[in-house]
Amino acid sequence: MAKIKAGVLGATGAVGQRFIEGLKSHPWFELTSLAASERSAGKKYREAAKWRLESELPDDIAEMTVVNVDPREVDADIVFSALPAADAMSVEPAFAAAGCAVASNTSSYRMVEDVPLLIPECNHEHLDIIKVQREKRGWEGFLTTNPNCTTIMFTLPLKPLMKFGIESVHMASMQAVSGAGYEGVPSMAILGNVIPYIGGEEEKCETEPQKILGHFDGERIINANFSISASCHRVPVMDGHTEALWVKMRDNPTPEEVRQAMLDFDPGLDDLPTSPKKALIVKDEPDRPQPRLDRMRGNGMSVSVGRIRSGIRFICMGHNTVRGAAGASILNAELLVKKGLL
């Protein structure tokens, strides 16, 4: 098939660079536009952005001219948004109204009633609400979102546990510094330290999973009926969010039943290029998963789970800027193609 033209909004930032990395040789999408703030617009990308990833910046992308974040300047059928939340509030609807599909990584519209909050392995059927969204808003295009990076890591392993009747979840996170951006946490604040507060993070973790694991009734999404209590912490790790979970379930499954449910989890998305062979990887070693050893499982798209104990308690971990950000939006876009929406 002919490649679909794709643009990145907020292309010079950390997540924007991850989008470029994931799209630069994508079999379905062609990177045709890089958009950023006025101070970057008009410059070659290599001049506008300091490339901070370990992978090489391709010469053809380095030579692309950055444009303004404006539907009239961005040549794309789908745009991947890495914008600040405040900017996204006005910009993302403008692109949807202009006929673009918007795959957003920002928090601005995640909890809006007619906007799907997607983890393809968990709730691909929620894409049906796009018809409602278009009719309600009169848009030619549409808007989809992916969850907070911390939310993604523990919602994926909760999905196969829904059959046991989840009643409550307690979660404590140990989050990498890359989640705050390159200049987000000063080195003297985090080295040899743990910061027991991340603004707005706990609120997102306590509300987003219920929407994701809820069901679409033809008109709206009905949230799943369980409670979440979260405590979020920044730790001196470069990449990879680690989370400890305590899950109370109606059917009181054994650790082995929980382990088997996770091993058997097969969302059937093997035909999507960014989808890992295993969305959930169960580790049986007593000291795994670990960020340095496990964050790049499935090219950074798998979530690793371990230490499944009675209670039910377990640890989960994944790459926060790949699975938790740019990779999540790209996987969402691939699902849009599979569903015939692009």
Side-chain angles (χ1 to χ4, degrees):
M1 68 177 185
K3 287 193 174 184
I4 297 164
K5 293 189 292 184
V8 177
L9 311 182
T12 58
V15 175
Q17 292 186 17
R18 285 292 187 190
F19 274 127
I20 292 170
E21 183 180 56
L23 293 167
K24 64 185 180 183
S25 57
H26 197 282
W28 295 359
F29 301 112
E30 177 186 3
L31 191 54
T32 52
S33 286
L34 303 176
S37 64
E38 290 182 358
R39 67 178 177 272
S40 297
K43 299 178 181 178
K44 299 293 185 184
Y45 186 77
R46 68 165 76 249
E47 300 167 352
K50 185 172 182 179
W51 190 252
R52 301 191 185 277
L53 303 184
E54 294 177 2
S55 61
E56 195 74 23
L57 174 64
D59 289 339
D60 57 338
I61 293 174
E63 288 299 311
M64 289 177 66
T65 299
V66 178
V67 300
N68 285 298
V69 183
D70 187 322
R72 295 168 295 184
E73 297 190 32
V74 174
D75 177 26
D77 300 308
I78 182 169
V79 291
F80 295 90
S81 177
L83 295 170
D87 296 339
M89 286 297 296
S90 59
V91 170
E92 291 178 355
F95 274 87
C100 276
V102 180
S104 176
N105 182 64
T106 67
S107 62
S108 306
Y109 288 92
R110 287 176 185 155
M111 300 306 292
V112 173
E113 188 175 59
D114 62 349
V115 176
L117 179 59
L118 293 172
I119 300 177
E121 295 94 339
C122 295
N123 63 336
H124 61 86
E125 67 279 2
H126 287 194
L127 280 179
D128 291 342
I129 204 170
I130 285 176
K131 180 180 179 182
V132 176
Q133 181 189 110
R134 280 173 149 169
E135 291 175 351
K136 175 183 175 181
R137 298 174 181 267
W139 287 346
E140 291 292 323
F142 54 85
L143 172 60
T144 65
T145 63
N146 57 262
N148 172 265
C149 52
T150 314
T151 298
I152 290 177
M153 302 314 167
F154 76 92
T155 303
L156 253 173
L158 288 181
K159 174 64 176 180
L161 305 187
M162 288 291 287
K163 67 179 182 179
F164 299 121
I166 296 175
E167 296 179 341
S168 66
V169 176
H170 288 75
M171 187 279 293
S173 72
M174 293 150 277
Q175 297 181 220
V177 293
S178 60
Y182 187 82
E183 298 178 351
V185 182
S187 59
M188 290 185 69
I190 194 63
L191 290 176
N193 197 24
V194 172
I195 301 173
Y197 173 73
I198 303 172
E201 197 81 354
E202 292 162 358
E203 292 82 357
K204 295 170 188 174
C205 292
E206 291 175 347
T207 56
E208 292 178 0
Q210 294 94 328
K211 181 176 181 179
I212 298 161
L213 297 175
H215 70 277
F216 177 58
D217 71 356
E219 296 182 0
R220 62 193 183 97
I221 296 165
I222 309 298
N223 286 0
N225 186 27
F226 59 85
S227 64
I228 302 175
S229 178
S231 183
C232 295
H233 319 88
R234 191 75 69 190
V235 298
V237 170
M238 183 66 74
D239 293 303
H241 287 355
T242 303
E243 298 160 22
L245 274 292
W246 294 258
V247 185
K248 181 181 178 182
M249 289 169 274
R250 178 195 62 231
D251 296 344
N252 195 28
T254 65
E256 181 53 37
E257 288 174 323
V258 166
R259 177 182 178 275
Q260 195 61 49
M262 292 181 181
L263 285 171
D264 292 343
F265 181 55
D266 182 7
L269 298 178
D270 294 346
D271 53 344
L272 302 185
T274 303
S275 180
K277 290 182 179 179
K278 292 288 290 185
L280 291 178
I281 295 175
V282 178
K283 307 296 293 183
D284 291 325
E285 302 92 328
D287 60 350
R288 300 282 283 277
Q290 297 178 25
R292 192 164 62 186
L293 300 178
D294 297 307
R295 61 191 169 210
M296 288 307 298
R297 302 290 174 187
N299 293 319
M301 289 296 290
S302 295
V303 171
S304 296
V305 180
R307 300 205 68 212
I308 302 171
R309 293 156 286 158
S310 59
I312 288 290
R313 301 164 288 164
F314 59 86
I315 305 295
C316 61
M317 194 285 307
H319 199 302
N320 52 295
T321 64
V322 181
R323 179 79 228 201
S329 289
I330 294 171
L331 187 63
N332 287 352
E334 293 167 358
L335 181 64
L336 293 172
V337 176
K338 180 176 180 177
K339 292 282 191 177
L341 290 163
L342 272 178

